[in-house]
């Protein structure tokens, strides 16, 4: 990002070319500040407007700007002459105003889009005028990585005496807003920003100014951009880091910790209030130990990653919802030993073959196994005794295409079969009747008394 | 949260200055969060905090810049003096050196702020009376000689912290009333907040503003 304050000695402007669009001539101005460059298009009239301001307020010589010409001002020869004259003009003006850099001139050159200082003066004004309304509406606010980078860098810079001394433009208003903001959205990009050579995802920033942030959503920003999480560990409740090519959770959870070994981690790096984590659409292969740094976690969503196995996360006592859809789970061995009192598991679009691993997840109420590779209807035996299970999805598994699939699944829940909602649908009376017959057959086969005979007790069965 | 936090008619800008370790950041935290942060991390460059207070029935938002005391950050922190309406100058009553440096802090402040800037001297860590290295009388005399307001305070117990920030605000508010402070001057450190559309701010204190919530 441009920092004119730092690199004004190493900056330049030039009018490179002229283009005619809809019968209007535009001059393409190339701006360079240090290693950053961009361009901006202006008509001759824009130059005149700027020039008037610079003459009246900043002592620029009146005769400096090439004069107006009313007729035959579109001939290639004339346009080329004027381009060169404007080129000389801009270079001279920049040279003359380098140190004071008046607001009007900076704006003319689009500094407010690409330069740390000028971007923030504009942002300060916006937030001074709108900030309180935005905070009151409690909607989430979107900052670009460019703005976040500018804020982080600005905090490390001496703030210079500027020509624009109106307090409305004071940086305090930006920090004031940040310190109160509760919901923040950040969206990255690998494209060049505007007409510049700036790439958002190469800019570093931190969250230090955000003292009250509750919800944070990061989309498509690589973790190497984040230098510090500031006080997020004390305030954040909901965190989403989506499509960010993250390999491991601790890329974010420990982003500002140098030594990421479990032994060297102090209590102060715990995420004290964090209850929801969504790392959807990343490249995570393992849920690593760092998840223990989120002791209050209730909802973990790792949809669309590369997970095959789950590590022991039973220390997360408050975990209730686990979304692992679109991963590569196949066996799910002994999950009761790995996860605590989870209520809902999403495992659709995986490669699960067997339900054996779920047989002792006694708190489970909802299990989504749509689009997996379960073939044998008898697999349901492993979960039919789970006392709270109510919602089950087996749709788009091989098992779902066998004859009488629904009845054969429901039947296995014995006295609770009317409570089960299979693939979004409870059993119809007809299905229940058929299921009872099947069950009777099974019972006879196994030599026990059919449970449907004491149907009334089954209905008063009370989940805890 | 009620709409309370967004109702105010003035913004005052403050800076907190003084040697490293005198408790500037702790004072800020005590004032904004009513908490003592014993293990407050060292300030790098500048820190920032806000709180809304009430002076003479007017809601005023304080925007407070907390600066790093080390010499190497001086260039950064100096630039924040400009446009401060209030300056809290802090020393540590248990460390004489921090008191001895006051004259240099004061010179900076006088040079870099404007004449209407209110300077308030705080002798911090008053809870550590047993380790006192600077007497109250001595500091009081220094304050009087230089026309500063003065209290001893403790960021730990909270004693006099509220007072220091509020008294400064009252003095600034007085200056506005007297016309000594020009609201339109770019570096006054005071901004009158215009009412936003649909939400009159300058209205006479309404019943909601007055309720003790
Ligand atoms: N006993 C006591 N300790 C304090 C008080 N204020 C700050 N401290 C301690 O002094 C040290 C420096 O405080 P800090 O606010 O970081 O100083 P700063 O460098 O001026 O910002 C910290 O260890 C604080 O715990 C106080 O009022 N009483
Ligand atoms: Mg500090």
């Amino acid at each position: 990002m441009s920092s004119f304050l730092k690199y004004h000695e190493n900056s330049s402007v030039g009018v490179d070319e002229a283009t005619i669009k809809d019968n209007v001539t535009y001059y393409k101005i190339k701006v360079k500040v240090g290693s950053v460059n961009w361009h901006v298009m202006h008509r001759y009239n824009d130059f005149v407007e700027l020039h008037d301001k610079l003459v009246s307020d900043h002592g620029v010589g009146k005769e400096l700007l090439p004069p107006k010409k009313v007729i035959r001002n579109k001939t290639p020869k004339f346009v080329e002459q004027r381009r060169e004259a404007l080129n000389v003009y801009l270079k001279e003006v920049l040279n003359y105003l380098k140190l004071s850099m008046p607001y009007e001139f900076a704006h003319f050159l689009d500094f407010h889009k690409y330069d740390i200082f000028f971007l923030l003066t504009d942002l300060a004004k916006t937030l001074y005028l709108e900030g309180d309304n935005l905070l009151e509406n409690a909607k989430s606010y979107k900052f670009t990585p460019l703005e976040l980078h500018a804020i982080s860098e600005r905090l490390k810079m001496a703030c210079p005496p500027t020509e624009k001394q109106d307090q409305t433009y004071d940086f305090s208003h930006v920090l004031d807003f940040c310190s109160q903001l509760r919901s923040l959205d950040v969206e990255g990009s690998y494209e060049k920003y505007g007409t510049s050579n700036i790439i958002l995802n190469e800019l570093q920033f931190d969250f230090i100014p955000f003292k009250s942030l509750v919800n944070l959503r990061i989309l498509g920003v690589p973790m190497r951009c984040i230098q510090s999480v500031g006080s997020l560990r004390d305030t954040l409740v909901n965190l989403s880091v989506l499509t960010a090519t993250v390999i491991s959770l601790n890329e974010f959870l420990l982003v500002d910790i140098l030594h990421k070994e479990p032994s060297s981690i102090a209590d102060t790096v715990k995420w004290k209030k964090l209850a929801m984590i969504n790392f959807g659409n990343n490249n995570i292969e393992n849920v690593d130990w760092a998840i223990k740094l989120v002791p209050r976690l209730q909802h973990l969503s790792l949809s669309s990653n590369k997970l095959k196995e789950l590590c022991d996360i039973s220390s997360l006592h408050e975990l209730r919802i686990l979304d692992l859809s679109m991963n590569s789970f196949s066996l799910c061995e002994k999950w009761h030993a790995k996860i605590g009192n989870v209520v809902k598991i999403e495992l659709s679009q995986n490669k699960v073959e067997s339900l054996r691993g779920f047989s002792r997840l006694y708190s489970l109420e909802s299990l989504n196994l749509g689009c997996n590779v379960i073939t044998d209807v008898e697999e349901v035996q492993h979960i039919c005794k789970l006392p709270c299970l109510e919602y089950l999805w087996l749709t788009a598994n091989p098992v779902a295409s066998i004859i009488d699939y629904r009845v054969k699944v429901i039947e296995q829940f014995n006295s609770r079969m009317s409570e089960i909602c299979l693939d979004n649908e409870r059993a119809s009376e007809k299905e229940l009747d058929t299921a009872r017959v099947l069950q009777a057959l099974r019972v006879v086969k196994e030599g026990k008394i059919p449970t449907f005979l004491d149907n009334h007790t089954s209905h008063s069965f009370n989940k805890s | 949260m009620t709409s309370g936090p967004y109702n105010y008619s003035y913004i005052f800008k403050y800076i907190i200055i003084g040697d490293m370790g005198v408790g500037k950041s702790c004072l800020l935290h005590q004032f904004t969060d009513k908490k003592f942060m014993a293990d407050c991390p060292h300030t790098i460059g500048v820190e920032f905090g806000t709180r809304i207070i009430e002076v003479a029935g007017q809601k005023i938002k304080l925007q407070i810049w907390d600066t790093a005391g080390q010499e190497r950050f001086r260039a950064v922190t100096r630039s924040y003096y400009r446009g401060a309406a209030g300056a809290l100058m802090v020393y540590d009553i248990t460390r004489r050196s921090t008191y001895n440096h006051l004259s240099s802090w004061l010179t900076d402040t006088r040079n870099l702020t404007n004449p209407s800037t209110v300077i308030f001297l705080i002798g911090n860590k008053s809870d550590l009376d047993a380790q006192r290295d600077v007497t109250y009388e001595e500091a009081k005399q220094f304050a009087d000689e230089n026309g500063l307001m003065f209290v001893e305070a403790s960021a730990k117990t909270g004693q006099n912290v509220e007072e220091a920030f509020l008294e400064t605000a009252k003095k600034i508010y007085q200056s506005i009333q007297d016309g000594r402070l020009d609201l339109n001057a770019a570096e006054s450190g005071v901004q009158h907040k215009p009412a936003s559309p649909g939400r009159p701010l300058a209205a006479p204190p309404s019943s909601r503003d007055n309720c003790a919530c």
Side-chain angles (χ1 to χ4, degrees), chain A residues 159-223:
Chain A
C159 77
T162 47
E163 184 263 343
K164 199 82 192 166
Q165 295 198 331
D166 182 341
Q167 291 179 71
T168 307
Y169 294 84
D170 194 289
F171 181 44
S172 300
H173 302 310
V174 176
L175 291 186
D176 191 338
F177 179 80
C178 292
S179 71
Q180 296 180 72
L181 186 67
R182 291 166 61 83
S183 301
L184 168 66
D185 261 13
V186 191
E187 197 173 324
S189 163
Y190 286 97
E191 315 249 299
K192 293 207 167 94
Y193 183 72
T195 66
S196 73
N197 63 344
I198 301 169
I199 291 173
L200 295 187
N201 283 355
E202 287 174 358
L203 300 174
Q204 295 202 306
F205 59 85
D206 61 53
F207 291 104
I208 289 170
F210 298 91
K211 310 278 189 205
S212 328
L213 210 61
V214 175
N215 308 304
L216 172 62
R217 185 168 165 278
I218 298 174
L219 182 64
V221 181
M223 296 298 102

Side-chain angles (χ1 to χ4, degrees), chain A residues 128 132-133 136 159 172 176, chain B residues 3 8 61 63 65 79 193:
Chain A
Y128 171 69
D132 289 338
N133 282 337
E136 202 165 13
C159 77
S172 300
D176 191 338
Chain B
S3 62
Y8 50 87
K61 176 186 260 187
Q63 288 182 337
W65 290 92
S79 61
K193 180 93 176 160

Side-chain angles (χ1 to χ4, degrees), chain B residues 24-25 41-43 66-67:
Chain B
K24 296 182 295 298
S25 301
H42 284 312
T43 309
D66 165 29
T67 61

